[in-house]
Amino acid sequence: MNPDLDLTLQRTIRAPRAAVWSAWTDPDRFAKWFIPAPMVCRVDRLEARPGGALVTRMSEDGVAFVPHVDAVFLVVDDLERIVFTNALDSAWRPALPAPVAMTAEIVLADHPEGTDYRVVVRHGDPSAREQHEKLGFFEGWGMVTTQLAQSVE
């Protein structure tokens, strides 16, 4: 973790790791929590395997959907770790995603009260990290983590 380049979030989720893992890898479950409410998420592709696609759309009204994430999974270690990046799109082409390129690592571990949930979002330079923080990283990722927890607890 490099504090000049990375943003982090950690939370204890009061549910077994298998439930949290399923919420990350099952498209129907993923769609329920991945975008801050009241926005609605639609999952076009969620292939939880190295090289698999992660493509989502978002909607304010549940009718008109616009692109949200077009990314590729880099690492998928069953029940332990997921790493994806939007610096490559789902077709493995270099991307310049808006608002910022990132690589996100989600780590799950056992905790006496459920699951230790850790997120590290890596950026290519300090200005990208700063921009992501100013755009509401902690509020946005915090809200979806709360929604994730609510969906599995």
Side-chain angles (χ1 to χ4, degrees), residues 50-105:
L54 173 59
V55 180
T56 63
R57 295 186 179 276
M58 63 184 178
S59 173
E60 291 187 24
D61 61 9
V63 177
F65 284 83
V66 297
H68 176 241
V69 171
D70 187 354
V72 64
F73 288 102
L74 303 174
V75 177
V76 180
D77 294 331
D78 195 37
L79 298 171
E80 293 180 8
R81 187 170 82 144
I82 294 172
V83 181
F84 69 92
T85 186
N86 66 355
L88 292 174
D89 70 17
S90 57
W92 280 72
R93 298 198 183 281
L96 296 172
V100 65
M102 66 177 185
T103 299
E105 179 180 27

Side-chain angles (χ1 to χ4, degrees), residues 17 20-21 79-81 106-110 115-117:
R17 257 196 304 168
V20 178
W21 182 262
L79 298 171
E80 293 180 8
R81 187 170 82 144
I106 292 79
V107 178
L108 310 177
D110 289 331
T115 301
D116 179 39
Y117 181 81

Side-chain angles (χ1 to χ4, degrees), residues 4-5 15 19 31 34 39 65 68 80 88 103-104 132-133 147:
D4 294 329
L5 299 173
F34 189 61
M39 300 277 286
F65 284 83
H68 176 241
E80 293 180 8
L88 292 174
T103 299
H132 199 177
E133 184 174 4
Q147 291 172 180

Side-chain angles (χ1 to χ4, degrees), residues 24 43 50 55 58 62 87 90 96 99 104 108 119 122 127 136 153:
W24 260 99
V43 176
V55 180
M58 63 184 178
S90 57
L96 296 172
L108 310 177
V119 174
R122 294 179 174 87
S127 65
E153 290 179 345

